[in-house]
């Protein structure tokens, strides 16, 4: 007989061991593990127990999610989900998802988001693909930053220590300013600013310690780059790789200056970038994107937990007045028809008895919510049905975003 219960402080080690085993058993570096323990919200963490053995885990973090229009919407960051291989196909995952989404609703969070090791698992619980990311391998022996906006040459670049608390505060200030400008980003709670700067040697895979360069304009920090160096240079030529972790700035001149720096570091031949927005401006700075090894992959999956609250919390790119017939078998409180009326200034969404204009499931709403997946594309895949001629074009345009949504870091 298994028991589902909220995590107790004394249970954390066994709970974490179960999670670690499910994801390969390599174990976290001690400093990272200690920080994750500190950041774990125990009252939002669930464990399934079979006697003294922990056989299932699920957690959530309390975030604020940037949405189209720049608002920050309360959202549950679903994380640390696992079921022991010895206890599969017993309904443990479903029971944790049920308990978790009920809790999210009770807390008044209209959205839940997650990153998925196996995306197929979460579609049946209403999560839809909402953001993607761009990875690049820039051949800097043949590619350069060829387009520089005005002021880029005047940007002051300086190395800084990522372990310096003052530098850490400057980095976090730049990140915080970037959050409202791009849907999908998360306003970090206290403590989370330490996670991107962790640099345990066992996680470097032979790379250098984390390096930081700050960009200043007018004496103020306008942006930063965090990166590692891998490989060695010798008399035969450049062999080092610049492995970029983060680049942030809201200033085009500073952005171009940082990328030019990264692409022109002496004795290097590749800049490796794991995650950028799919519409990243760097694509329009580089001389030859064909030699940048571009790859796109999925990142975040989103789910409206309160359809009315979620749709009313964001702005819309064009005026919209549409009735949505929503299916949501797992969270039946969302089932039914909702009238959404909104524009760039805000929106309202409430239940209605009016005839539906579009029919879709909550999964499609999750995909379209941040503006990176169009309702038109979902309709072309047979996942959205137009019931009133013209409603699809109206809603698809309104749900869009001028900038692609992006989740820059995991949780």
């Amino acid at each position: 007989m298994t028991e589902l219960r909220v995590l107790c402080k004394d249970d954390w080690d066994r709970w974490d061991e179960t999670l670690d085993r499910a994801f390969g058993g390599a174990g976290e570096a001690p400093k990272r593990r200690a920080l994750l323990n500190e950041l774990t919200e125990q009252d939002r963490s669930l464990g399934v127990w079979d006697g003294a053995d922990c056989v299932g885990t699920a957690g959530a973090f309390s975030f604020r999610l940037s949405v189209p229009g720049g608002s920050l919407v309360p959202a549950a960051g679903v994380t640390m989900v696992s079921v022991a291989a010895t206890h599969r196909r017993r309904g443990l995952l479903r029971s944790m998802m049920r308990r978790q989404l009920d809790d999210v609703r009770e807390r008044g969070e209209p959205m839940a988001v997650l990153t998925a090791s196996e995306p197929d698992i979460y579609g049946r619980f209403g999560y839809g693909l909402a953001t993607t990311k761009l990875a690049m391998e820039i051949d800097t022996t043949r590619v350069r930053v060829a387009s520089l906006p005005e002021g880029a040459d005047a940007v002051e670049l300086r190395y800084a220590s990522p372990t310096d608390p003052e530098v850490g505060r400057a980095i976090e200030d730049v990140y915080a300013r970037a959050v409202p400008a791009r849907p999908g980003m998360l306003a970090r709670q206290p403590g989370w600013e330490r996670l991107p700067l962790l640099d345990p040697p066992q996680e470097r895979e032979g790379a250098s310690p984390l390096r930081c360069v700050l960009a200043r304009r007018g004496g103020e920090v306008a942006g930063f780059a965090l990166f590692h160096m891998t490989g060695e240079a010798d008399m035969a030529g450049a062999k080092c790789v610049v492995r970029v972790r983060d680049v942030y700035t809201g200033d085009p001149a500073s952005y171009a200056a940082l990328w030019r720096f990264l692409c022109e570091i002496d004795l290097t031949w590749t800049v490796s970038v794991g995650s950028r927005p799919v519409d990243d401006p760097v694509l329009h700075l580089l001389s030859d994107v064909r030699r940048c090894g571009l790859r796109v992959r999925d990142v975040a999956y989103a789910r409206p937990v309160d359809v009315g609250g979620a749709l009313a919390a964001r702005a819309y790119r064009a005026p919209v007045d549409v009735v949505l017939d929503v299916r949501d078998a797992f969270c039946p409180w969302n089932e039914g028809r909702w009238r959404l009326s909104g524009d760039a200034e805000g929106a309202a969404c409430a239940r209605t008895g009016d005839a539906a204009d579009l029919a879709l499931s909550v999964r499609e709403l999750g995909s379209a919510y941040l503006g990176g997946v169009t309702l038109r594309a979902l309709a072309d895949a047979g996942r959205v049905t137009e019931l009133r001629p013209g409603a699809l074009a109206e809603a698809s345009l309104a749900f869009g975003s001028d900038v692609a949504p992006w989740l820059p870091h995991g949780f």
Side-chain angles (χ1 to χ4, degrees):
M1 178 71 70
T2 58
E3 176 190 7
L4 173 64
R5 66 174 188 257
V6 175
L7 187 65
C8 298
K9 185 174 182 180
D10 292 343
D11 290 334
W12 191 87
D13 283 335
R14 282 181 294 170
W15 187 83
D16 184 63
E17 288 167 5
T18 299
L19 178 66
D20 181 56
R21 183 171 57 236
F23 283 90
E28 297 279 6
K31 286 186 177 181
R32 183 178 297 275
R33 189 170 187 268
L35 180 55
L36 289 174
N37 186 356
E38 181 181 330
L39 294 176
T40 296
E41 298 180 37
Q42 291 185 1
D43 63 332
R44 305 201 68 171
S45 302
L46 303 172
V48 179
W49 300 83
D50 187 349
D53 297 327
C54 182
V55 296
T57 65
F61 294 115
S62 303
F63 288 130
R64 290 178 297 144
L65 173 71
S66 178
V67 300
S71 295
L72 299 178
V73 175
V78 175
T79 186
M80 299 180 286
V81 179
S82 73
V83 173
T86 54
H87 286 66
R88 295 178 62 199
R89 299 185 181 89
R90 301 188 190 183
L92 303 190
L93 176 61
R94 184 179 182 86
S95 68
M96 290 189 291
M97 293 293 99
R98 170 78 281 138
R99 175 76 169 269
Q100 187 177 69
L101 286 171
D102 288 343
D103 177 69
V104 173
R105 184 191 185 201
E106 290 174 5
R107 290 171 181 266
E109 296 166 328
M111 291 296 298
V113 293
L114 57 80
T115 60
S117 57
E118 296 183 81
D120 187 51
I121 291 174
Y122 295 96
R124 65 180 185 267
F125 301 118
Y127 289 88
L129 173 61
T131 77
T132 53
K133 68 178 180 180
L134 181 68
M136 298 181 285
E137 297 287 331
I138 305 170
D139 178 0
T140 53
T141 66
R142 307 182 72 174
V143 178
R144 69 189 190 283
V145 173
S147 175
L148 289 172
E150 184 178 352
D153 288 328
V155 175
E156 178 186 338
L157 301 181
R158 292 289 186 272
Y159 280 102
S161 171
T163 62
D164 182 334
E166 185 175 341
V167 172
R169 285 191 292 271
I171 286 173
E172 191 60 18
D173 286 345
V174 171
Y175 174 86
R177 292 197 298 270
V179 169
R182 187 174 291 275
M185 294 184 70
L186 301 171
R188 295 201 275 239
Q189 301 281 55
W192 278 90
E193 76 282 354
R194 294 152 54 195
L195 198 59
L197 299 176
L198 282 181
D199 186 31
Q202 56 266 55
E203 293 183 2
R204 294 178 191 154
E205 298 179 348
S208 71
L210 185 64
R211 298 180 181 179
C212 174
V213 164
L214 298 181
R216 285 187 169 87
R217 296 196 75 188
E220 299 295 326
V221 175
F224 68 89
L226 295 172
F227 61 98
H228 297 272
M229 303 287 291
T230 65
E232 294 182 357
D234 56 29
M235 297 300 291
K239 293 184 179 180
C240 293
V241 175
V242 182
R243 219 166 66 195
V244 176
R245 182 183 288 192
D246 288 322
V247 182
Y248 288 104
T249 174
D251 171 43
S254 298
Y255 199 64
L258 285 166
W259 278 105
R260 180 172 61 177
F261 162 79
L262 292 167
C263 290
E264 294 183 357
I265 297 176
D266 289 339
L267 303 178
T268 64
W269 63 358
T270 302
V271 173
S272 177
V273 188
S275 177
R276 299 303 304 163
V278 294
D279 63 347
D280 197 300
V282 73
L283 296 172
H284 307 288
L285 296 174
L286 298 173
S287 60
D288 187 351
V289 293
R290 191 174 296 176
R291 299 186 184 279
C292 293
L294 306 181
R295 305 182 308 280
V296 175
R297 62 163 295 175
D298 61 304
V299 183
Y301 291 74
R303 189 208 205 286
V305 180
D306 170 7
V307 164
L311 294 182
R314 55 155 291 180
Y316 294 85
R317 187 162 55 175
V320 62
D321 185 10
V322 65
V323 175
L324 306 172
D325 188 2
V326 179
R327 303 184 304 278
D328 190 350
F330 200 68
C331 294
W333 57 80
N334 285 325
E335 292 261 1
R337 281 170 283 173
W338 298 84
R339 178 174 289 280
L340 169 65
S341 301
D343 55 26
E345 301 302 317
C349 187
R351 290 197 175 276
T352 181
D354 295 342
D357 300 319
L358 297 175
L360 71 173
S361 82
V362 73
R363 183 178 178 184
E364 284 71 60
L365 273 183
S367 289
Y369 183 72
L370 295 174
V373 177
T374 69
L375 290 170
R376 168 66 69 183
L378 293 167
D380 288 345
R383 292 173 54 183
V384 175
T385 302
E386 184 179 52
L387 303 174
R388 171 176 62 81
L392 178 61
E394 173 191 345
S396 190
L397 174 63
F399 268 79
S401 170
D402 287 341
V403 292
W406 177 52
L407 177 65
H409 62 81
F411 49 86

